[in-house]
Amino acid sequence: MGKKLKNTGLIGLGVVAGIAVSLQFSAMAQKPVEQPLPLEELRQLADVYGLIKSDYVEKVDDKKLLTEAISGMVASLDPHSAYLDKRAYAELREGSQGKFVGLGIEIGESEDGYIKIVAPIEDSPAWRAGIKPGDLISRLDNTPVKGMSLEDSVKKMRGEPHSKVSLTVLRKGEPEPLLFQLTREEIQQKSVKGKIVEPGYAWLRIAQFQDPTVDDLAAKISELYQQDPKLKGLVLDLRNDPGGVLQGAIGVAAAFLPKDAAIVSTNGQLSDSKQIFYGRPEYYAVHNESDALARLPAAIKQIPLAVLVNSGSASASEIVAGALQDYKRAQIIGSQTFGKGSVQTIRQLTADTAVKLTTARYYTPNGRSIQAKGIVPDLAVDEYADGDGLNALRPREADLDKHLVNERDQEGVHARHEEPEEQLRLVAQEKKRKPLEYGSSDDFQLQQALNHLKGLPVQIAKAETKLVQAALPASGNAGGK
């Protein structure tokens, strides 16, 4: 298997296959042009435009030509800048609000070229129809999915409310393919979920940072404390969290850090991209709403905390992990994160279109840049007891064409590149596993995080398999940088 595997994507969310974002929404900034326009190059552009109009084999629509020119110009900058047409802009706004029109399934790319069902979203069309984790989609509306990109398959599964789509599904143990006829509907997705995993210990997962994330987090933490007022430890799960709205990341970190702590700083060309963001409501409250964190139990600032990350943890989730790591508020557990250390600002062009433009790099409270490097865990713990699954094969920021360099650490930390034989072995091993359900009793990394919080031995990465005695963080260890 020569290609690296793509990260999991969520149907209907604006982030697919690990190309993650920290989003800020803004009106179009009118910045004076500091240098004269390159007239010769503009003439060449006009000449090419004229040649296409006069010589191409068939007529080409003017709007298509100019839109594609804009799209190509923006996309040439880095992997995260993009022109957003009407559909893409609408999808991004829906994803940031935690709702979308689709089928309600979390998907990934399988080693056989099919679309793998990671999990259906509860009470979605896919969930009600009986779609199961581990199912493989072989056809969408009778179109084979082999050779189709994950992003294109997402687009085919999206659509208008009440419209229909058919899925041909291969299921282990079933002799014949299964055919599902699903009706698209608006899916309301909660970005935060959690539960008491055992007396005194809770698990809190953030799937993506959205507009409602801070409110959802505050509600879920309050609910957990109602169930167990004497919580002794909390595991914050950011695995495969691809990022999202910057305010959400600031609010989540602020929930666990001292009042008014610096969470993240940014630096770019514009003056408003040179900022420090603090754990205050004006930095994390979306639409100037009330401060959801003011309702949290005071004990949340002191509770021993562990944070789970992996190669799919990107951007906004790395902001949270980096801040908690810098303040020594939590132990970061898992594998090296994706390494996307840039902020994208949405500049609206028309009522229906926008440009998603990289406007700044971001830095942890201690001034670390994670761009093309990622967050290195304090405790490297594999995904399974016998190894790290496919984490080593997934692409990271440093693997993407035209990625920004880490100007503060030119060497960075790159993803491991396994030999072909090892890749084949990992893929074959993965085929035998049942789908991993985060938060379950079979979740090996969660069990190791709980061991750490209890001061019990932790099994670290298979590369150097050994047990280490966890150092239980002191109560209230949320010191400064």
Side-chain angles (χ1 to χ4, degrees), residues 59-345:
K59 289 185 178 180
V60 183
D61 179 67
D62 288 342
K63 185 176 180 180
K64 173 180 170 59
L65 274 178
L66 294 174
T67 298
E68 292 294 335
I70 294 170
S71 179
M73 177 169 57
V74 178
S76 70
L77 299 172
D78 65 73
H80 309 292
S81 295
Y83 169 74
L84 305 176
D85 60 16
K86 182 177 180 179
R87 180 172 181 174
Y89 187 34
E91 288 178 358
L92 183 141
R93 285 182 294 179
E94 287 179 352
S96 69
Q97 294 165 3
K99 61 181 181 180
F100 57 91
V101 176
L103 307 179
I105 48 178
E106 187 178 345
I107 66 168
E109 189 178 74
S110 82
E111 57 280 346
D112 300 317
Y114 297 118
I115 297 169
K116 184 176 184 178
I117 304 295
V118 176
I121 296 172
E122 187 173 349
D123 202 31
S124 67
W127 185 83
R128 292 193 296 269
I131 299 288
K132 297 181 179 181
D135 284 351
L136 299 175
I137 300 174
S138 61
R139 289 176 176 267
L140 290 170
D141 282 337
N142 213 32
T143 301
V145 302
K146 280 197 173 183
M148 187 184 299
S149 72
L150 199 63
E151 187 169 3
D152 286 341
S153 67
V154 168
K155 290 178 180 178
K156 285 187 71 69
M157 284 185 267
R158 296 290 299 273
E160 295 298 319
H162 313 301
S163 60
K164 296 184 182 297
V165 61
S166 64
L167 274 59
T168 304
V169 169
L170 308 178
R171 179 175 293 170
K172 190 174 182 179
E174 294 288 344
E176 300 291 335
L178 305 175
L179 184 63
F180 292 88
Q181 187 80 16
L182 303 180
T183 301
R184 299 178 179 95
E185 62 182 54
E186 183 173 282
I187 309 296
Q188 294 283 347
Q189 186 191 21
K190 289 287 186 181
S191 63
V192 180
K193 62 181 179 180
K195 61 183 179 180
I196 304 296
V197 289
E198 58 182 79
Y201 296 92
W203 169 77
L204 190 69
R205 173 158 175 76
I206 301 176
Q208 188 182 31
F209 291 91
Q210 303 165 339
D211 286 351
T213 294
V214 178
D215 286 336
D216 292 347
L217 176 88
K220 182 56 68 175
I221 289 176
S222 297
E223 178 187 318
L224 292 171
Y225 269 95
Q226 286 176 0
Q227 295 176 35
D228 190 342
K230 296 182 179 180
L231 282 178
K232 295 182 288 187
L234 177 68
V235 178
L236 177 63
D237 191 347
L238 301 178
R239 290 172 294 179
N240 284 339
D241 180 333
V245 179
L246 182 60
Q247 290 97 321
I250 295 168
V252 169
F256 302 101
L257 290 174
K259 188 177 187 302
D260 297 337
I263 306 297
V264 63
S265 62
T266 61
N267 188 39
Q269 280 201 78
L270 294 172
S271 58
D272 63 2
S273 69
K274 304 176 190 297
Q275 292 191 65
I276 300 176
F277 296 85
Y278 297 90
R280 302 171 188 157
E282 60 263 36
Y283 292 104
Y284 58 75
V286 179
H287 310 308
N288 296 316
E289 295 172 351
S290 61
D291 182 9
L293 300 187
R295 305 189 296 269
L296 287 176
I300 200 65
K301 299 285 188 183
Q302 312 296 333
I303 190 171
L305 185 65
V307 179
L308 290 175
V309 297
N310 66 2
S311 60
S313 306
S315 202
S317 58
E318 293 174 294
I319 288 175
V320 174
L324 296 176
Q325 189 177 53
D326 276 7
Y327 282 96
K328 303 187 187 306
R329 176 64 182 89
Q331 286 281 297
I332 312 301
I333 297 174
S335 51
Q336 176 200 339
T337 62
F338 186 77
K340 183 188 165 294
S342 61
V343 176
Q344 282 63 50
T345 301

Side-chain angles (χ1 to χ4, degrees), residues 1-6 109-112 388-396 399 415-433:
M1 191 184 83
K3 295 183 179 178
K4 296 175 78 70
L5 299 183
K6 294 182 178 179
E109 189 178 74
S110 82
E111 57 280 346
D112 300 317
D388 207 22
L390 298 179
N391 269 302
L393 304 184
R394 294 186 179 123
R396 291 183 169 92
D399 298 310
R416 299 199 307 261
H417 292 275
E418 304 289 356
E419 294 299 323
E421 294 81 6
E422 178 63 8
Q423 293 185 25
L424 291 172
R425 187 191 70 79
L426 290 172
V427 169
Q429 187 180 42
E430 199 66 18
K431 286 182 179 180
K432 299 176 183 178
R433 300 188 196 277

Side-chain angles (χ1 to χ4, degrees), residues 19-42:
I19 308 302
V21 290
S22 292
L23 292 176
Q24 297 186 98
F25 290 82
S26 169
M28 187 66 180
Q30 298 297 329
K31 183 183 178 185
V33 177
E34 298 175 353
Q35 297 179 352
L37 293 172
L39 296 180
E40 184 176 343
E41 285 76 9
L42 289 173

